[in-house]
Amino acid sequence: MGSDYDRESELKAFDDSKTGVKGLVDAGVAKVPRMFIHSQHNPHEMSVSTNTQLSIPIIDLEGVHSDAIRRAKIVGEVRNACETWGMFQIFNHGIMKSILEEMIQGIRGFNEQDVEVKKDFYTRDFTKKVIYVSNFDLFQGPAATWKDSFSCIIAPNPPEPTDLPEVCRDIIMEYSKQVMMLTNTLLEVAAEALGLKSNHLKDMQCADGVYLIGHYYPACPEPELTLGTKIHTDPSVLTVLLQDQVGGLQLLHENQWVNVNPVPGALVINTGDLLQLVSNDMFRSSKHRVLANHKAPRVSVGNFFSPFTLSSSKLYGPIKELLSEENPPKYKEMTVRDYHAFYIAKGLDGTSALQHFKL
C-alpha cells in the first residue's frame, strides 16, 4: 500500500464497470481491493455480546386487530422495544412465508441475472425512480462496503410496472402492498404506545412515502477487512426489513454489538430517526451495521416509511401532545426533505443526523 495509490481512479474504474461488488467476485477476486478496506474503522472495535440471552425482542402480532387484551399487551411490548432497543422482530404479521421467500428470491434473481441486463439499471442519478448501484456514498465515504443495492420508489408516485426489472417486478408490487398494510397497523400500535390516538402518526403522513431497497452482499474473501453496511441509523419513521437466513445484521446496544439472528418467517422492525424526533426521544433510533461474510451471498429487503417524498414545506418536530414543562422539545422543526438532504450529504459515518437538528 504505497503512497502512489490512486483511490479516485480505483473508485471510478469500479463505478464505470457497472457490475458492482458481484462483478469483482465473479472475476475471481481473492483479496479485498483497497477501496473497501476500513483501516480507520475497525469492524470489530466494540465487543460482540457473548450473552446468548441478550437478543432483540420478538413480538407476536396474533390478535392485534381482534383481541383488545392482546392488543394492549402488544402495545406494551412495542413501547418497551422502541424505548430500549429501537429494533424488534415480529411474527404472525399476516404476510405469508411464500411471499417473503419470493421477495428474497426476486432480489437475488436481479443480482444474479445476466450482467448486461442488470447494467441497464445502474445509475448515480438518485432522482430516478428505479436504481441499481453499489454504495450510494462511494465517492464521499472513507471506504466502500461489500454490497450492491437495488432500490425503487413504492409510494406515493411509483414507477410504471414496465420500468421495474422483469425478474422481480411482480413480487416487488405484491410484497410492498402487503408491507404497507402491515405498517399501517404498526403505526397505530406505535401511536398508542406513545399515548396518542391510533391514527396520530398516520395522520401526520408518516407512512405516505415508501422506498424499497434490496441489498445483495456477495460472499467476501476477507470479511474481517471490510463491512457489508457501515454503522448507521435509518432516515425513516419505521423500516420493515426482510432478511434471508445468512445472518450478519448487528445492533449496537449498551456499547456492545448484538447479533440480530434471522428467524424464519419473521420481519425486523427498525425505529428510524424521524420517529425518535417526533417522539422527542421517547423512542430511540437504532444504530446497526451488517458484517461481511465468506459463507454465502446475503440478501435483505428494506421498506423505508417516511414522508420524505412529499411536500417540501411541511414541518416536522416533536409532537405537541408529548411536550410539557418537564419534557420540552429537544429538536427544532424541519422539513423532512431538509433532513434527508443532510443525511445523504453526511453519508454513513456512524453519527446520527439528528444531532444536527438538536435545540
Side-chain angles (χ1 to χ4, degrees):
M1 291 195 179
S3 58
D4 58 349
Y5 170 60
D6 186 349
R7 176 176 168 77
E8 197 67 27
S9 293
E10 187 182 17
L11 292 173
K12 188 173 187 309
F14 171 77
D15 199 46
D16 287 348
S17 75
K18 300 185 177 183
T19 59
V21 176
K22 187 173 187 303
L24 298 176
V25 173
D26 289 346
V29 67
K31 290 194 166 294
V32 168
R34 184 168 172 179
M35 60 180 273
F36 293 96
I37 295 176
H38 290 243
S39 56
Q40 304 298 314
H41 175 75
N42 177 0
H44 308 285
E45 80 286 3
M46 292 182 207
S47 65
V48 176
S49 173
T50 56
N51 181 357
T52 55
Q53 303 302 310
L54 193 62
S55 61
I56 70 167
I58 301 177
I59 299 174
D60 182 358
L61 292 189
E62 184 72 45
V64 69
H65 292 298
S66 59
D67 184 330
I69 295 173
R70 275 288 306 141
R71 186 177 179 103
K73 184 174 187 293
I74 292 165
V75 167
E77 290 175 344
V78 167
R79 180 189 303 114
N80 178 64
C82 292
E83 289 175 349
T84 308
W85 292 87
M87 184 183 286
F88 55 97
Q89 299 203 61
I90 56 172
F91 65 102
N92 285 328
H93 43 64
I95 303 178
M96 288 192 304
K97 198 172 176 183
S98 60
I99 295 287
L100 304 182
E101 290 170 351
E102 193 177 339
M103 185 68 254
I104 289 288
Q105 289 306 320
I107 295 300
R108 188 184 306 281
F110 172 81
N111 283 277
E112 296 178 356
Q113 69 181 326
D114 182 271
V115 70
E116 294 305 319
V117 176
K118 195 168 57 169
K119 274 184 179 180
D120 287 343
F121 295 94
Y122 197 93
T123 180
R124 288 199 180 274
D125 179 357
F126 296 113
T127 64
K128 290 193 171 184
K129 293 185 177 183
V130 179
I131 296 168
Y132 157 57
V133 77
S134 188
N135 288 262
F136 82 88
D137 60 347
L138 182 70
F139 294 96
Q140 289 87 38
T145 53
W146 201 258
K147 71 168 179 295
D148 303 324
S149 305
F150 169 85
S151 60
C152 63
I153 291 173
I154 299 299
N157 300 304
E160 293 296 323
T162 51
D163 292 335
L164 292 169
E166 186 176 358
V167 68
C168 53
R169 177 185 302 156
D170 293 344
I171 189 58
I172 283 175
M173 293 190 293
E174 179 57 34
Y175 173 73
S176 294
K177 182 175 74 175
Q178 296 200 29
V179 169
M180 288 166 77
M181 290 190 291
L182 169 63
T183 301
N184 275 328
T185 299
L186 292 173
L187 284 176
E188 288 178 5
V189 169
E192 292 170 30
L194 288 167
L196 303 167
K197 292 181 178 176
S198 296
N199 286 337
H200 198 110
L201 294 174
K202 289 196 292 187
D203 289 345
M204 290 172 63
Q205 300 177 312
C206 284
D208 286 16
V210 191
Y211 201 69
L212 177 145
I213 305 181
H215 292 311
Y216 183 89
Y217 304 83
C220 180
E222 299 176 299
E224 69 282 359
L225 297 181
T226 189
L227 283 168
T229 299
K230 288 174 273 192
I231 180 172
H232 68 287
T233 57
D234 287 352
S236 56
V237 175
L238 283 179
T239 304
V240 179
L241 181 78
L242 167 64
Q243 60 173 340
D244 67 9
Q245 299 303 301
V246 172
L249 175 62
Q250 293 184 326
L251 169 75
L252 187 60
H253 179 71
E254 297 178 352
N255 285 321
Q256 58 183 337
W257 291 106
V258 177
N259 291 318
V260 182
N261 295 318
V263 176
L267 292 165
V268 178
I269 310 301
N270 288 351
T271 303
D273 284 354
L274 295 178
L275 188 51
Q276 178 169 332
L277 181 140
V278 300
S279 73
N280 206 40
D281 285 355
M282 285 179 66
F283 289 171
R284 60 185 293 177
S285 184
S286 64
K287 282 189 175 181
H288 50 284
R289 69 180 184 184
V290 177
L291 300 182
N293 85 87
H294 67 272
K295 296 178 296 185
R298 176 183 185 267
V299 176
S300 69
V301 185
N303 281 67
F304 297 78
F305 289 81
S306 86
F308 71 77
T309 53
L310 301 179
S311 165
S312 60
S313 61
K314 185 175 173 66
L315 291 173
Y316 284 82
I319 293 169
K320 301 290 190 289
E321 288 84 347
L322 302 178
L323 303 179
S324 64
E325 282 189 26
E326 297 76 31
N327 185 32
K330 296 176 181 175
Y331 300 96
K332 56 191 174 186
E333 290 191 325
M334 49 142 206
T335 66
V336 177
R337 183 169 293 186
D338 284 349
Y339 168 78
H340 205 252
F342 179 78
Y343 183 98
I344 293 292
K346 181 182 75 67
L348 303 186
D349 61 359
T351 66
S352 170
L354 285 177
Q355 296 305 312
H356 183 71
F357 300 95
K358 281 252 184 185
L359 286 171

Coordinates of all heavy atoms in Angstrom, one line a residue, residues 287-353:
K287 N -28.8 2.2 16.1 CA -27.6 2.1 15.4 C -27.3 0.6 15.0 O -27.3 -0.2 15.9 CB -26.4 2.7 16.2 CG -26.4 4.2 16.2 CD -25.1 4.7 16.8 CE -25.0 6.2 16.7 NZ -23.7 6.7 17.3
H288 N -27.1 0.4 13.8 CA -26.9 -1.0 13.4 C -25.9 -1.1 12.2 O -25.5 0.0 11.6 CB -28.2 -1.7 13.0 CG -29.1 -0.9 12.1 ND1 -29.8 0.2 12.4 CD2 -29.3 -1.1 10.7 CE1 -30.5 0.6 11.4 NE2 -30.2 -0.1 10.4
R289 N -25.4 -2.3 11.9 CA -24.5 -2.5 10.8 C -24.7 -3.9 10.3 O -25.4 -4.7 10.9 CB -23.0 -2.3 11.3 CG -22.6 -3.4 12.2 CD -21.1 -3.2 12.7 NE -20.7 -4.3 13.5 CZ -19.5 -4.4 14.1 NH1 -18.7 -3.4 14.0 NH2 -19.2 -5.5 14.8
V290 N -24.0 -4.2 9.1 CA -24.0 -5.6 8.6 C -22.6 -6.0 8.4 O -21.8 -5.2 7.7 CB -24.8 -5.7 7.3 CG1 -24.8 -7.1 6.7 CG2 -26.3 -5.3 7.5
L291 N -22.2 -7.1 8.9 CA -20.9 -7.7 8.7 C -20.8 -8.3 7.3 O -21.8 -8.9 6.8 CB -20.5 -8.7 9.7 CG -20.5 -8.2 11.2 CD1 -20.1 -9.4 12.1 CD2 -19.6 -7.0 11.4
A292 N -19.6 -8.3 6.7 CA -19.3 -9.1 5.5 C -19.1 -10.5 6.0 O -18.8 -10.8 7.1 CB -18.1 -8.6 4.8
N293 N -19.4 -11.5 5.1 CA -19.1 -12.9 5.4 C -18.6 -13.7 4.2 O -18.8 -13.2 3.1 CB -20.5 -13.5 5.9 CG -21.3 -14.0 4.8 OD1 -21.2 -15.1 4.4 ND2 -22.2 -13.1 4.3
H294 N -17.9 -14.7 4.5 CA -17.3 -15.5 3.4 C -18.1 -16.7 3.1 O -17.8 -17.5 2.2 CB -15.9 -16.0 3.8 CG -15.9 -17.0 5.0 ND1 -15.8 -16.6 6.3 CD2 -15.9 -18.3 5.0 CE1 -15.9 -17.6 7.1 NE2 -15.9 -18.7 6.3
K295 N -19.3 -17.0 3.8 CA -20.0 -18.2 3.6 C -20.8 -18.2 2.3 O -20.7 -19.1 1.5 CB -21.0 -18.4 4.8 CG -20.3 -18.6 6.1 CD -21.3 -18.7 7.2 CE -22.1 -17.5 7.4 NZ -23.1 -17.5 8.5
A296 N -21.7 -17.2 2.1 CA -22.6 -17.2 1.0 C -23.2 -15.8 0.8 O -23.1 -14.9 1.7 CB -23.8 -18.1 1.4
P297 N -23.7 -15.5 -0.3 CA -24.3 -14.1 -0.5 C -25.5 -13.9 0.4 O -26.3 -14.9 0.7 CB -24.8 -14.2 -2.0 CG -24.1 -15.3 -2.6 CD -23.8 -16.3 -1.5
R298 N -25.6 -12.8 1.0 CA -26.7 -12.4 1.9 C -27.6 -11.5 1.1 O -27.2 -10.6 0.4 CB -26.2 -11.7 3.2 CG -27.3 -11.3 4.1 CD -26.7 -10.6 5.3 NE -27.8 -10.2 6.3 CZ -28.4 -9.0 6.3 NH1 -28.1 -8.1 5.5 NH2 -29.4 -8.8 7.2
V299 N -28.9 -11.6 1.3 CA -30.0 -10.8 0.7 C -30.9 -10.2 1.8 O -31.3 -10.9 2.7 CB -30.8 -11.5 -0.3 CG1 -31.9 -10.7 -0.9 CG2 -29.9 -12.1 -1.5
S300 N -31.1 -8.9 1.7 CA -32.1 -8.3 2.6 C -33.0 -7.3 1.8 O -32.5 -6.8 0.7 CB -31.5 -7.6 3.8 OG -30.8 -6.4 3.3
V301 N -34.2 -7.0 2.2 CA -35.1 -6.1 1.6 C -35.7 -5.2 2.6 O -36.4 -5.6 3.6 CB -36.2 -6.8 0.8 CG1 -37.1 -5.8 0.0 CG2 -35.7 -7.9 -0.1
G302 N -35.4 -3.9 2.5 CA -35.9 -2.9 3.5 C -37.0 -2.0 2.8 O -36.7 -1.5 1.7
N303 N -38.1 -1.9 3.5 CA -39.1 -0.9 3.1 C -39.0 0.3 4.1 O -39.3 0.1 5.3 CB -40.5 -1.4 3.0 CG -40.7 -2.3 1.7 OD1 -40.1 -3.3 1.5 ND2 -41.6 -1.8 0.9
F304 N -38.7 1.5 3.6 CA -38.5 2.6 4.5 C -39.7 3.5 4.4 O -40.0 4.0 3.3 CB -37.2 3.4 4.1 CG -35.9 2.6 4.2 CD1 -35.6 1.6 3.3 CD2 -35.1 2.8 5.3 CE1 -34.4 0.9 3.4 CE2 -33.9 2.0 5.4 CZ -33.6 1.1 4.5
F305 N -40.3 3.8 5.5 CA -41.6 4.5 5.6 C -41.3 5.9 6.2 O -40.8 6.0 7.3 CB -42.6 3.8 6.4 CG -43.2 2.6 5.7 CD1 -42.5 1.4 5.7 CD2 -44.4 2.6 5.0 CE1 -43.0 0.3 5.1 CE2 -44.9 1.5 4.3 CZ -44.2 0.3 4.4
S306 N -41.6 7.0 5.4 CA -41.4 8.3 5.9 C -42.2 9.2 5.0 O -42.5 8.8 3.9 CB -40.0 8.7 6.1 OG -39.5 9.2 4.9
P307 N -42.3 10.5 5.3 CA -43.0 11.4 4.4 C -42.0 12.1 3.4 O -42.3 13.1 2.8 CB -43.6 12.5 5.4 CG -43.2 12.1 6.7 CD -42.1 11.1 6.7
F308 N -40.7 11.6 3.3 CA -39.7 12.4 2.6 C -40.0 12.6 1.1 O -39.4 13.5 0.6 CB -38.3 11.8 2.9 CG -38.0 10.5 2.1 CD1 -37.7 10.5 0.8 CD2 -38.0 9.3 2.8 CE1 -37.4 9.3 0.2 CE2 -37.6 8.1 2.2 CZ -37.4 8.1 0.9
T309 N -40.9 11.9 0.5 CA -41.2 12.1 -0.9 C -42.3 13.1 -1.1 O -42.7 13.4 -2.2 CB -41.5 10.8 -1.6 OG1 -42.6 10.2 -0.9 CG2 -40.4 9.9 -1.7
L310 N -42.8 13.6 0.0 CA -44.0 14.5 -0.1 C -43.6 16.0 0.0 O -42.4 16.3 -0.2 CB -45.0 14.2 1.0 CG -45.5 12.7 1.0 CD1 -46.4 12.5 2.2 CD2 -46.2 12.4 -0.3
S311 N -44.6 16.8 0.3 CA -44.4 18.3 0.3 C -43.1 18.7 1.0 O -42.8 18.3 2.1 CB -45.6 19.0 0.9 OG -45.3 20.3 1.2
S312 N -42.4 19.7 0.4 CA -41.1 20.1 1.0 C -41.4 21.2 2.1 O -40.5 21.5 2.8 CB -40.2 20.7 -0.1 OG -40.9 21.9 -0.7
S313 N -42.6 21.7 2.2 CA -42.8 22.8 3.1 C -43.4 22.3 4.4 O -43.4 23.1 5.4 CB -43.8 23.8 2.5 OG -45.0 23.2 2.2
K314 N -43.9 21.1 4.5 CA -44.5 20.6 5.8 C -43.4 20.4 6.9 O -42.4 19.8 6.6 CB -45.2 19.3 5.6 CG -46.0 18.8 6.8 CD -46.8 17.5 6.4 CE -47.4 16.9 7.6 NZ -48.5 17.7 8.2
L315 N -43.6 21.0 8.0 CA -42.6 21.0 9.1 C -42.9 19.8 10.1 O -44.1 19.5 10.4 CB -42.6 22.3 9.9 CG -42.1 23.5 9.2 CD1 -42.3 24.8 10.0 CD2 -40.6 23.4 8.8
Y316 N -41.8 19.2 10.5 CA -41.9 18.1 11.5 C -41.1 18.4 12.7 O -39.9 18.9 12.5 CB -41.5 16.8 10.8 CG -42.5 16.2 9.9 CD1 -42.6 16.6 8.6 CD2 -43.4 15.2 10.4 CE1 -43.6 16.1 7.8 CE2 -44.4 14.7 9.6 CZ -44.5 15.1 8.3 OH -45.5 14.6 7.5
G317 N -41.6 18.2 13.8 CA -40.9 18.4 15.1 C -41.5 17.5 16.1 O -42.4 16.7 15.8
P318 N -41.0 17.6 17.4 CA -41.6 16.8 18.5 C -43.1 17.1 18.5 O -43.6 18.2 18.4 CB -40.9 17.4 19.7 CG -39.6 17.8 19.2 CD -39.8 18.4 17.8
I319 N -43.9 16.0 18.7 CA -45.4 16.0 18.7 C -45.8 16.8 20.0 O -45.4 16.6 21.1 CB -46.0 14.6 18.8 CG1 -45.7 13.9 17.4 CG2 -47.5 14.7 19.0 CD1 -46.0 12.4 17.5
K320 N -46.7 17.9 19.7 CA -47.0 18.8 20.8 C -47.7 18.1 22.0 O -47.4 18.4 23.1 CB -48.0 19.8 20.2 CG -47.5 20.7 19.1 CD -46.4 21.6 19.5 CE -46.1 22.6 18.4 NZ -45.4 22.0 17.2
E321 N -48.5 17.1 21.7 CA -49.1 16.3 22.8 C -48.2 15.6 23.8 O -48.6 15.2 24.9 CB -50.1 15.3 22.2 CG -51.4 15.9 21.6 CD -51.2 16.4 20.2 OE1 -50.0 16.4 19.7 OE2 -52.2 16.7 19.5
L322 N -46.9 15.4 23.3 CA -46.0 14.7 24.2 C -45.1 15.7 25.0 O -44.3 15.3 25.8 CB -45.0 13.9 23.3 CG -45.7 12.8 22.4 CD1 -44.7 12.1 21.6 CD2 -46.5 11.8 23.3
L323 N -45.3 17.0 24.8 CA -44.4 18.0 25.4 C -45.0 18.6 26.7 O -46.3 18.6 26.8 CB -44.1 19.2 24.4 CG -43.5 18.7 23.1 CD1 -43.3 19.9 22.2 CD2 -42.2 18.0 23.3
S324 N -44.2 19.0 27.6 CA -44.6 19.6 28.8 C -43.5 20.5 29.4 O -42.4 20.5 28.8 CB -45.0 18.6 29.8 OG -43.9 17.8 30.2
E325 N -43.7 21.1 30.5 CA -42.6 21.9 31.1 C -41.4 20.9 31.5 O -40.3 21.2 31.4 CB -43.1 22.6 32.4 CG -43.8 23.9 32.1 CD -44.1 24.6 33.4 OE1 -43.3 24.5 34.3 OE2 -45.1 25.4 33.4
E326 N -41.8 19.7 31.9 CA -40.8 18.7 32.3 C -40.2 18.0 31.1 O -39.1 17.4 31.2 CB -41.5 17.6 33.2 CG -42.0 18.1 34.5 CD -43.3 18.9 34.4 OE1 -44.1 18.5 33.5 OE2 -43.5 19.8 35.2
N327 N -40.9 18.1 29.9 CA -40.4 17.4 28.7 C -40.5 18.4 27.6 O -41.3 18.3 26.7 CB -41.3 16.2 28.4 CG -40.7 15.4 27.3 OD1 -39.5 15.4 27.0 ND2 -41.7 14.8 26.5
P328 N -39.6 19.4 27.6 CA -39.6 20.4 26.5 C -39.1 19.8 25.2 O -38.4 18.8 25.2 CB -38.7 21.5 27.0 CG -37.7 20.8 27.9 CD -38.5 19.7 28.6
P329 N -39.3 20.5 24.1 CA -38.8 19.9 22.8 C -37.3 19.9 22.8 O -36.6 20.8 23.2 CB -39.4 20.9 21.7 CG -39.7 22.2 22.5 CD -40.0 21.7 23.9
K330 N -36.8 18.8 22.2 CA -35.3 18.6 22.1 C -34.8 18.8 20.7 O -33.6 18.9 20.5 CB -35.0 17.1 22.5 CG -35.3 16.9 24.0 CD -35.0 15.4 24.4 CE -35.4 15.2 25.9 NZ -35.3 13.8 26.3
Y331 N -35.8 19.0 19.8 CA -35.4 19.2 18.4 C -36.1 20.4 17.8 O -37.3 20.7 18.2 CB -35.7 18.0 17.5 CG -35.0 16.7 18.0 CD1 -35.6 15.8 18.8 CD2 -33.7 16.5 17.6 CE1 -35.0 14.7 19.3 CE2 -33.0 15.3 18.0 CZ -33.7 14.4 18.9 OH -33.0 13.3 19.3
K332 N -35.5 21.1 16.8 CA -36.2 22.1 16.1 C -37.0 21.5 15.0 O -36.8 20.4 14.6 CB -35.2 23.1 15.5 CG -34.1 22.5 14.6 CD -33.0 23.6 14.3 CE -31.9 23.0 13.5 NZ -30.8 23.9 13.4
E333 N -38.0 22.3 14.6 CA -38.9 21.8 13.5 C -38.1 21.9 12.2 O -37.2 22.7 12.0 CB -40.1 22.6 13.4 CG -41.1 22.4 14.5 CD -42.5 23.0 14.2 OE1 -42.5 24.1 13.6 OE2 -43.5 22.4 14.6
M334 N -38.3 21.0 11.3 CA -37.6 20.9 10.0 C -38.5 20.3 9.0 O -39.5 19.6 9.3 CB -36.3 20.1 10.2 CG -36.5 18.8 10.8 SD -35.6 17.5 10.2 CE -36.6 16.1 10.6
T335 N -38.2 20.5 7.7 CA -38.8 19.7 6.7 C -38.1 18.4 6.5 O -36.9 18.3 6.8 CB -38.8 20.4 5.3 OG1 -37.4 20.5 4.9 CG2 -39.4 21.8 5.4
V336 N -38.8 17.3 6.2 CA -38.2 16.0 6.0 C -37.2 16.0 4.8 O -36.2 15.4 4.9 CB -39.3 14.9 5.9 CG1 -38.7 13.6 5.6 CG2 -40.2 14.9 7.1
R337 N -37.5 16.9 3.9 CA -36.6 17.0 2.7 C -35.3 17.5 3.2 O -34.2 17.0 2.7 CB -37.2 17.9 1.6 CG -36.4 18.0 0.4 CD -37.1 18.6 -0.8 NE -38.2 17.8 -1.2 CZ -39.0 18.1 -2.3 NH1 -38.7 19.2 -3.0 NH2 -39.9 17.3 -2.7
D338 N -35.3 18.5 4.0 CA -34.0 19.1 4.5 C -33.2 18.0 5.3 O -32.0 17.9 5.3 CB -34.3 20.3 5.4 CG -34.6 21.5 4.6 OD1 -34.4 21.5 3.4 OD2 -35.0 22.5 5.2
Y339 N -34.0 17.3 6.2 CA -33.4 16.2 7.0 C -32.7 15.2 6.0 O -31.6 14.8 6.2 CB -34.4 15.5 7.9 CG -33.8 14.3 8.4 CD1 -32.9 14.3 9.5 CD2 -34.0 13.0 7.9 CE1 -32.3 13.2 10.0 CE2 -33.4 11.9 8.3 CZ -32.6 12.0 9.4 OH -31.9 10.8 9.9
H340 N -33.5 14.8 5.0 CA -33.0 13.7 4.1 C -31.8 14.2 3.3 O -30.8 13.4 3.2 CB -34.1 13.3 3.2 CG -33.9 11.9 2.7 ND1 -33.6 11.6 1.4 CD2 -34.0 10.7 3.3 CE1 -33.4 10.3 1.3 NE2 -33.7 9.7 2.4
A341 N -31.8 15.4 2.9 CA -30.6 16.0 2.2 C -29.4 16.0 3.1 O -28.3 15.7 2.6 CB -31.0 17.4 1.7
F342 N -29.6 16.4 4.3 CA -28.4 16.4 5.3 C -27.9 15.0 5.5 O -26.7 14.7 5.5 CB -28.8 17.0 6.6 CG -27.7 17.0 7.6 CD1 -26.7 18.0 7.5 CD2 -27.7 16.1 8.6 CE1 -25.6 18.0 8.4 CE2 -26.6 16.1 9.5 CZ -25.6 17.0 9.4
Y343 N -28.8 14.0 5.6 CA -28.4 12.6 5.9 C -27.6 12.1 4.7 O -26.6 11.4 4.9 CB -29.7 11.8 6.0 CG -29.5 10.3 6.4 CD1 -29.6 9.8 7.7 CD2 -29.3 9.4 5.4 CE1 -29.4 8.5 8.0 CE2 -29.1 8.0 5.6 CZ -29.1 7.6 6.9 OH -29.0 6.3 7.2
I344 N -28.1 12.4 3.5 CA -27.3 11.9 2.3 C -26.0 12.5 2.2 O -25.0 11.9 1.9 CB -28.2 12.1 1.0 CG1 -29.4 11.3 1.0 CG2 -27.3 11.9 -0.2 CD1 -29.2 9.8 0.9
A345 N -25.9 13.9 2.4 CA -24.7 14.6 2.3 C -23.7 14.1 3.3 O -22.4 14.0 3.1 CB -24.9 16.1 2.4
K346 N -24.1 13.8 4.5 CA -23.3 13.4 5.6 C -22.7 12.0 5.4 O -21.6 11.7 5.7 CB -24.1 13.4 6.9 CG -23.4 12.9 8.2 CD -24.3 12.9 9.4 CE -25.2 11.7 9.4 NZ -24.5 10.4 9.6
G347 N -23.5 11.1 4.7 CA -23.1 9.8 4.5 C -23.2 8.9 5.7 O -23.5 9.4 6.8
L348 N -22.8 7.7 5.6 CA -22.9 6.7 6.7 C -21.6 6.8 7.5 O -20.7 5.9 7.3 CB -23.2 5.3 6.2 CG -24.5 5.1 5.4 CD1 -24.7 3.7 5.2 CD2 -25.7 5.7 6.1
D349 N -21.5 7.8 8.4 CA -20.2 8.0 9.1 C -20.3 7.5 10.5 O -19.4 7.8 11.3 CB -19.7 9.4 9.0 CG -20.7 10.4 9.7 OD1 -21.8 9.9 10.2 OD2 -20.4 11.6 9.7
G350 N -21.4 6.8 10.9 CA -21.5 6.3 12.3 C -22.1 7.3 13.2 O -22.4 6.9 14.4
T351 N -22.4 8.5 12.8 CA -23.0 9.5 13.7 C -24.5 9.7 13.3 O -24.9 9.4 12.1 CB -22.3 10.9 13.6 OG1 -22.5 11.4 12.3 CG2 -20.8 10.8 13.9
S352 N -25.3 10.2 14.2 CA -26.7 10.4 13.9 C -26.9 11.7 13.3 O -26.4 12.8 13.8 CB -27.5 10.2 15.2 OG -28.9 10.7 15.0
A353 N -27.7 11.8 12.2 CA -28.0 13.1 11.6 C -28.9 13.9 12.5 O -29.0 15.1 12.4 CB -28.7 12.8 10.3

